[in-house]
Amino acid sequence: KQEVTQIPAALSVPEGENLVLNCSFTDSAIYNLQWFRQDPGKGLTSLLLIQSSQREQTSGRLNASLDKSSGRSTLYIAASQPGDSATYLCAVSRRAGGTSYGKLTFGQGTILTVHP
Amino acid sequence: NAGVTQTPKFQVLKTGQSMTLQCAQDMNHEYMSWYRQDPGMGLRLIHYSVGAGITDQGEVPNGYNVSRSTTEDFPLRLLSAAPSQTSVYFCASHARGDGSQPQHFGDGTRLSIL
């Protein structure tokens, strides 16, 4: 069974800092790994998707890396802003044959607070 | 383009009642899913569909039914509500079955079972 762990559970930083969120998974047979953002009372917004054949993806101030062999991913946020405050979730799509592409297993998230 | 729309946003039920959570997407996505989110448990997959007429179970399917008669709609039915089904329910969709496309989520339905 795939298990996904995110560290730290919560993080509080001053504005402007660069920060790293960590995600680990137990089964390296995956189709992809996705990072999502969730604001309070809202749904999930996809930030970055890394396919199993890729090593990293970048979008603006965000950079996500994937090391499938070690079962790890990191989300790097540069020059953090108060608007980045949210819960960040990591999810993997396990390669289990057939129709498993979109069956995601989620970590429990990192709650990020960026202080002005 | 509305994306994924879930209704209702909030609902309170009594134990034993039945109801249907609605989910619709206007992106012509073949793949749709239902997740529940609980404190300390994260998001867990309930049911999954790869197209009209095709559904599959996820991690926590007991107590829930689904059917997929159209590409756009994927309703989730609670047959006899139990307090353990108090949760936030999210519907999601994605376009391609090769792992290359991100999932799009609705804003959720917050369900309380008394």
Side-chain angles (χ1 to χ4, degrees), chain A residues 21-85:
Chain A
L21 307 182
N22 297 291
C23 173
S24 62
F25 48 94
T26 55
D27 188 342
S28 62
I30 63 172
Y31 285 113
N32 61 46
L33 183 144
Q34 297 180 59
W35 283 94
F36 294 91
R37 168 183 173 140
Q38 185 176 28
D39 294 294
K42 296 293 187 180
L44 282 67
T45 300
S46 178
L47 297 173
L48 291 166
L49 180 150
I50 311 175
Q51 295 185 72
S52 61
S53 59
Q54 299 173 329
R55 297 283 294 184
E56 67 176 345
Q57 286 288 336
T58 298
S59 176
R61 295 182 294 108
L62 305 179
N63 175 275
S65 67
L66 174 64
D67 185 343
K68 201 172 59 171
S69 61
S70 67
R72 294 180 181 180
S73 176
T74 60
L75 177 66
Y76 175 83
I77 303 177
S80 58
Q81 304 170 358
D84 294 330
S85 298

Side-chain angles (χ1 to χ4, degrees), chain B residues 3-55:
Chain B
V4 178
T5 302
Q6 292 185 236
T7 56
K9 294 189 183 304
F10 302 93
Q11 184 71 49
V12 178
L13 292 178
K14 294 181 180 179
T15 298
Q17 287 185 316
S18 63
M19 80 161 294
T20 299
L21 280 62
Q22 302 291 344
C23 175
Q25 52 91 9
D26 61 0
M27 298 171 282
N28 201 33
H29 287 171
E30 287 295 319
Y31 298 79
M32 297 185 74
S33 310
W34 277 102
Y35 294 85
R36 60 178 288 175
Q37 185 174 34
D38 302 291
M41 301 295 293
L43 281 110
R44 293 176 292 169
L45 181 66
I46 305 172
H47 282 291
Y48 183 60
S49 172
V50 300
I54 307 172
T55 63

